[in-house]
Amino acid sequence: MDRPYVCRAARCSQPTDAADHRTRQSGISGDLTMDALSRRKFLIASGVTGATALAAGAGGIALADLLSSAAPEAAATARDILVVVTLYGGNDGLNTVIPYADSAYHSARPELGYEPESVLPIDAELGLNPVLTGLRTLWGDGQLAIVSGVGYPKPDRSHFRSMDIWQTGSPTNPANSGWIGRWLDGIKAPVEAAVSFEPVLPPLLVGRSRIGACVSYRGLRVPDWIDPQVVAALGASHPQESPMRARAAAAYADLIEMARTVRSAQELADPFPADDDLDSLAASATGTGGSGALGTQLGLVARCVTLGVPTRMYSVSLGGFDTHAQERVGQELLLGQLDRALTGFVRAMSASPAGQRVTVVVYSEFGRRVRANASDGTDHGTAGPVLVAGPAVAGGRFGEQPSLADLDDGDLKATVDFRDIFGTLLARVLEAEPARYLDGYEPVELPLLRTERGPASVDHPTD
């Protein structure tokens, strides 16, 4: 049973009538209890968003701890940083990087395809979806690389199995660790080395002895009927508190710090807007995984990079790409979010000395089938394009565009193994030996980054 307590904060206000009514409904006394259990119950019952992870006892690093690891004086000389953007649901690559000059494309998609005059051409064969205006600018600036026909042997059309393959880097045998997680193992990484700003830590960051940190971007959201100062008071520490109560207070304080940081990240992310309604954007995520609010997640990454947080790898995501029906409207909405968020992030990084060392890779678990279905959508397919962007990227096309006249049971044949891209990024960005973290696979290194960055060195584990 909860013990009653007397609110000790000098500025703690009395509950309003509405608040008093709600607290009675939820079984929480207006005379708030200060032990850890009651703090948690208050968060859950009051509807203070951001409490879910705390209530579930989720591990990971607190945002305040992550930010406290920053060393601004070292930001400009920091090591390279990799940002992985996962598009959950299976993005339709043929309507993202469009083979507009191929008559077979228009024959397969008479209603779903884009007319040549509407695409944003990158050359005489391919063009970007009309909503990708920012990425077209990055392409013109030489900061966007497009790798065509990326997949893996014996493709699997299951969302979960295919995403498992991409995140573990193991297409033949099931693995219980991600390729980034194994890199964390290999370098005996500190907890802040790899960070996910997603609600759930992806398998990508899970190693055998180490895991990345999960910091949800949602932070603290207080219902109208709760005075924010009441919640803030709960985050205040007291010299005579027990360790458990101090931990509960720290958790509150972290939620408050997250809310402050998210707001500042959104201000920083003004060039990459569109996350003004997190709830509506979150609705675009599906049961296959992923999150909305990509701009907010990348805004947090930008803030950490510019502050000099020593994280080497960040994971963010956008969900909802499982477009079986009415694809054009839904995909254009999602690609528009991707375009604004990614373009703004790359521009922000280009203007920062620390940001010059940031490289972004964007992938999805599979592409869609070539022919449209009867619902003006597409079903699960195979190969698709992967995007690599950033100030250090050597822009251009890589890989061979799959033929639309030589299909495998209606699907594209992959021309590039996804491990060649991840292996290149392991070697060139994370300074690691790729085969060590890709289950022995020896990747073909692709010239995705500018050569003046110098030869890649190999990581050496430290104790």
Side-chain angles (χ1 to χ4, degrees):
M1 176 178 295
D2 295 333
R3 291 180 296 139
Y5 91 105
V6 177
C7 183
R8 295 167 296 185
R11 293 182 299 172
C12 180
S13 60
Q14 296 296 317
T16 63
D17 292 343
D20 187 52
H21 174 68
R22 290 289 297 273
T23 51
R24 284 198 301 271
Q25 279 191 320
S26 62
I28 296 177
S29 168
D31 188 14
L32 297 176
T33 302
M34 201 53 149
D35 64 23
L37 177 62
S38 294
R39 272 171 163 141
R40 191 175 78 164
K41 287 182 65 176
F42 173 77
L43 279 173
I44 297 171
S46 65
V48 176
T49 305
T52 306
L54 174 66
I61 190 172
L63 179 68
D65 293 335
L66 181 64
L67 295 177
S68 68
S69 67
E73 68 281 1
T77 58
R79 301 172 77 180
D80 292 351
I81 296 170
L82 177 63
V83 181
V84 176
V85 180
T86 302
L87 306 181
Y88 284 91
N91 179 41
D92 184 4
L94 281 176
N95 271 9
T96 301
V97 182
I98 301 168
Y100 70 92
D102 192 334
S103 60
Y105 165 78
H106 300 284
S107 297
R109 300 182 169 200
E111 303 296 329
L112 187 61
Y114 288 87
E115 295 299 321
E117 58 272 20
S118 68
V119 305
L120 307 174
I122 60 173
D123 58 27
E125 298 177 349
L126 300 178
L128 296 176
N129 187 288
V131 303
L132 298 175
T133 54
L135 293 188
R136 179 61 183 81
T137 301
L138 292 182
W139 171 269
D141 294 340
Q143 293 188 319
L144 176 66
I146 299 173
V147 187
S148 300
V150 185
Y152 53 85
K154 298 180 180 179
D156 193 308
R157 295 187 182 87
S158 160
H159 289 292
F160 303 101
R161 176 59 187 145
S162 190
M163 190 56 78
D164 183 64
I165 288 171
W166 278 82
Q167 296 204 3
T168 64
S170 180
T172 54
N173 301 310
N176 58 7
S177 59
W179 59 273
I180 287 293
R182 294 193 290 276
W183 169 72
L184 295 174
D185 291 340
I187 63 171
K188 302 184 187 306
V191 66
E192 70 272 12
V195 172
S196 165
F197 283 119
E198 300 162 276
V200 178
L201 187 73
L204 173 69
L205 274 67
V206 176
R208 298 185 179 91
S209 61
R210 281 171 165 73
I211 63 172
C214 184
V215 182
S216 173
Y217 65 86
R218 288 188 173 275
L220 181 71
R221 305 186 74 194
V222 181
D224 294 338
W225 59 275
I226 287 185
D227 186 336
Q229 291 187 353
V230 173
V231 181
L234 295 177
S237 60
H238 189 279
Q240 297 178 343
E241 281 192 317
S242 68
M244 179 175 289
R245 291 181 181 180
R247 284 181 58 188
Y252 270 83
D254 189 61
L255 289 172
I256 296 165
E257 175 62 26
M258 172 61 90
R260 185 181 301 117
T261 302
V262 167
R263 285 196 297 273
S264 60
Q266 288 172 327
E267 292 170 2
L268 175 68
D270 191 45
F272 35 137
D275 288 340
D276 52 340
D277 188 339
L278 298 183
D279 287 334
S280 64
L281 292 178
S284 65
T286 69
T288 60
S291 171
L294 180 62
T296 297
Q297 296 173 69
L298 287 175
L300 288 168
V301 174
R303 181 170 174 81
C304 289
V305 170
T306 53
L307 286 176
V309 170
T311 298
R312 298 289 311 281
M313 183 271 168
Y314 293 93
S315 175
V316 298
S317 65
L318 181 63
F321 284 90
D322 197 14
T323 49
H324 289 283
Q326 302 298 319
E327 176 178 304
R328 281 185 60 156
V329 174
Q331 192 197 25
E332 286 181 2
L333 176 65
L334 293 168
L335 290 180
Q337 292 180 38
L338 172 67
D339 185 73
R340 290 187 293 272
L342 183 58
T343 303
F345 178 73
V346 172
R347 285 175 176 164
M349 292 296 92
S350 298
S352 159
Q356 295 288 327
R357 309 190 72 85
V358 175
T359 298
V360 186
V361 60
V362 184
Y363 77 98
S364 193
E365 67 262 44
F366 45 60
R368 316 296 293 189
R369 290 180 69 78
V370 172
R371 188 165 297 279
N373 63 28
S375 301
D376 290 331
T378 52
D379 300 323
H380 303 178
T382 54
V386 169
L387 309 179
V388 183
V393 166
R397 281 182 57 184
F398 300 89
E400 179 182 351
Q401 178 68 16
S403 170
L404 292 176
D406 182 21
L407 303 177
D408 180 9
D409 190 25
D411 282 326
L412 299 176
K413 294 180 179 178
T415 58
V416 176
D417 192 302
F418 77 102
R419 292 170 293 181
D420 293 338
I421 300 171
F422 289 166
T424 298
L425 298 174
L426 274 165
R428 302 291 296 173
V429 179
L430 299 181
E431 305 165 71
E433 183 181 355
R436 183 177 177 189
Y437 305 117
L438 294 175
D439 200 23
Y441 179 79
E442 295 285 356
V444 176
E445 186 168 320
L446 303 173
L448 298 172
L449 302 176
R450 289 185 280 107
T451 56
E452 60 265 32
R453 293 165 54 82
S457 58
V458 175
D459 61 280
H460 297 286
T462 56
D463 291 321

